[in-house]
Amino acid sequence: MIAEFLTLSKIALIYKYGIFVIETKNYQGWIFGNGSSDFWTQTIYNKKYQFRNPVLQNWEHIKTLKIVLSEFPSIPYRPIIVFTENSTLKNITFEFPVIRSGGLYQYILKNSTTEYLSYEQMDQIFQKLISLNNSDKVARKSHITKAKTLQQSGAKSLTCPKCGGRLSIKNGKYGMFYG
């Protein structure tokens, strides 16, 4: 069954049941976090380290995919945060799936009930995303620098463009979204 999908880099699984947007984290130790904080905490060897909230990172990926794939408005996007088996998830408070890698296959199977895409559409999406891949090393480095600058400046990307209020996650007909 899983052989019927196309993958694109490490963030998107294009499947007839929708696009699974996967944010992977290779951290050891205890992981603490919630969906609304800007940073999560890793505790290892009695030391604490902060890292950018993977839920917010994943929503940025989804937002970009929705813009790029606007000609496919009915695709459900299924966000998933996956930590390696070397981590222990502690007090993760969020309705978003935050799982360890051993549960990824089961999560995908559980959320594969209604077909939304034909094989032709899957291929069209794949080809479009591949065509937008940044293969130029200089351009990629520039993109990474800009992304890090935005992250370090604390830019809030989860603000309503109309009223300026904080966006929250809603569950809609085609999956979860910010509103």
Side-chain angles (χ1 to χ4, degrees):
M1 183 162 122
I2 295 297
E4 301 172 345
F5 64 77
L6 297 170
T7 58
L8 179 74
S9 75
K10 295 181 181 180
I11 66 158
L13 173 83
I14 304 164
Y15 197 19
K16 61 186 175 181
Y17 300 105
I19 297 180
F20 292 82
V21 184
I22 304 166
E23 180 71 29
T24 59
K25 295 296 175 191
N26 185 14
Y27 289 105
Q28 294 181 5
W30 291 352
I31 306 298
F32 300 89
N34 67 59
S36 61
S37 62
D38 289 334
F39 294 93
W40 284 17
T41 303
Q42 171 196 31
T43 303
I44 186 168
Y45 306 119
N46 294 322
K47 292 186 180 181
K48 293 184 179 184
Y49 304 93
Q50 287 194 322
F51 60 96
R52 180 122 162 36
N53 181 338
V55 173
L56 300 181
Q57 289 178 314
N58 200 298
W59 278 113
E60 289 299 320
H61 298 313
I62 291 171
K63 190 166 61 172
T64 301
L65 286 169
K66 284 183 176 183
I67 292 167
V68 168
L69 300 174
S70 60
E71 67 266 28
F72 300 95
S74 62
I75 299 173
Y77 292 87
R78 308 216 187 275
I80 313 167
I81 309 300
V82 180
F83 282 86
T84 62
E85 296 297 319
N86 296 329
S87 60
T88 303
L89 305 176
K90 299 266 192 179
N91 298 328
I92 302 294
T93 54
F94 201 63
E95 58 200 55
F96 200 86
V98 179
I99 61 176
R100 292 182 45 215
S101 55
L104 180 60
Y105 180 72
Q106 288 302 321
Y107 178 82
I108 291 171
L109 287 180
K110 181 179 151 190
N111 287 279
S112 299
T113 54
T114 303
E115 291 186 21
Y116 295 93
L117 296 169
S118 67
Y119 291 113
E120 294 80 24
Q121 290 172 315
M122 289 169 51
D123 188 54
Q124 289 172 356
I125 292 167
F126 182 78
Q127 295 304 325
K128 176 152 190 172
L129 294 177
I130 287 295
S131 74
L132 296 172
N133 253 355
N134 194 351
S135 59
D136 178 73
K137 288 182 180 183
V138 174
R140 184 181 300 145
K141 190 172 184 176
S142 172
H143 170 75
I144 290 169
T145 302
K146 287 178 187 176
K148 285 182 179 179
T149 302
L150 279 174
Q151 178 183 339
Q152 291 169 351
S153 72
K156 296 286 183 191
S157 60
L158 300 176
T159 305
C160 176
K162 291 185 180 178
C163 71
R166 185 142 173 101
L167 297 174
S168 62
I169 293 180
K170 309 289 184 192
N171 199 359
K173 181 177 179 182
Y174 299 109
M176 299 172 81
F177 66 95
Y178 270 110

